[in-house]
Every structure is written in C-alpha cells, then in structure tokens.
Amino acid sequence: MIAPLIQPVETVHAVAHTVPLAALVSAASVLVLIVAAVVFGGGYLLTCRIWPFRACGRCKGLGRLHAPNGKAWRDCPRCKGTGRRLRIGRRLWNHAERTKRNAI
C-alpha cells in the first residue's frame, strides 16, 4: 500500500478559560468605581458652582440666529438672546437650595 504524501495534521483546540463575572467584579473594583464617580460628581458640582452658565447649543453662544429668509438676524429663542444657558447641575443646585430655604 502506498502511503499518502500529505499527512493529516492534528489540530489542537485551545480551550479558553472563562472567569466567572462575580470574580471580576470584586470589592476593590466597585470601590474604585465609587471613588471615580464621587470625584467626577464633585468636580462637576464645583464647575457648576464657579461657572453656572454654558454656551447655548442652538446659537453656539452668539445669542442670535439667521432668520428663516437668511438675510436678517433674530434673537435665539432658546437663550433669549443672551447666548448663555444654565447648566443642568446648577439647575439642580438651585432647586435644592430653594427647597432647603422653603423648608424652614
């Protein structure tokens, strides 16, 4: 009998070792996420305290838009021509202060 010229190659299947999700989410990683959220939230509240306004998204801080005919300018209806909008965090801050003041 004639031996075949091409020998079959044995394939080795690598078995991936799966780690349970509970082992990945340890107490240390949860603590890191909590600390990161507190740092990010504190930084955002500090930003809202120092700079309560942001540029209007519709007029990009100009306070005016082109009229529909494209020749004239008109005041931005969203910011009422100021070019500034109150940040969401500052709006929440003001609501909390108002609630605290009215609770007394």
Side-chain angles (χ1 to χ4, degrees):
M1 177 162 204
I2 301 174
L5 295 176
I6 301 174
Q7 297 291 327
V9 178
E10 291 183 27
T11 58
V12 177
H13 296 288
V15 178
H17 180 68
T18 59
V19 178
L21 184 61
L24 292 176
V25 181
S26 65
S29 62
V30 171
L31 182 64
V32 167
L33 287 175
I34 290 173
V35 168
V38 167
V39 168
F40 179 76
Y44 182 68
L45 285 177
L46 183 65
T47 300
C48 290
R49 181 77 172 143
I50 296 172
W51 300 288
F53 294 99
R54 63 176 177 84
C56 176
R58 181 176 283 178
C59 66
K60 298 183 179 41
L62 293 176
R64 59 187 182 172
L65 295 169
H66 277 290
N69 64 8
K71 294 181 181 179
W73 291 93
R74 63 183 172 118
D75 285 343
C76 176
R78 187 174 289 172
C79 65
K80 298 176 181 60
T82 63
R84 302 183 309 169
R85 297 276 307 210
L86 197 60
R87 293 181 190 270
I88 294 172
R90 185 57 189 215
R91 201 172 299 140
L92 293 173
W93 180 288
N94 290 346
H95 177 73
E97 288 290 323
R98 195 176 314 114
T99 303
K100 186 173 107 177
R101 186 176 54 240
N102 292 338
I104 296 177

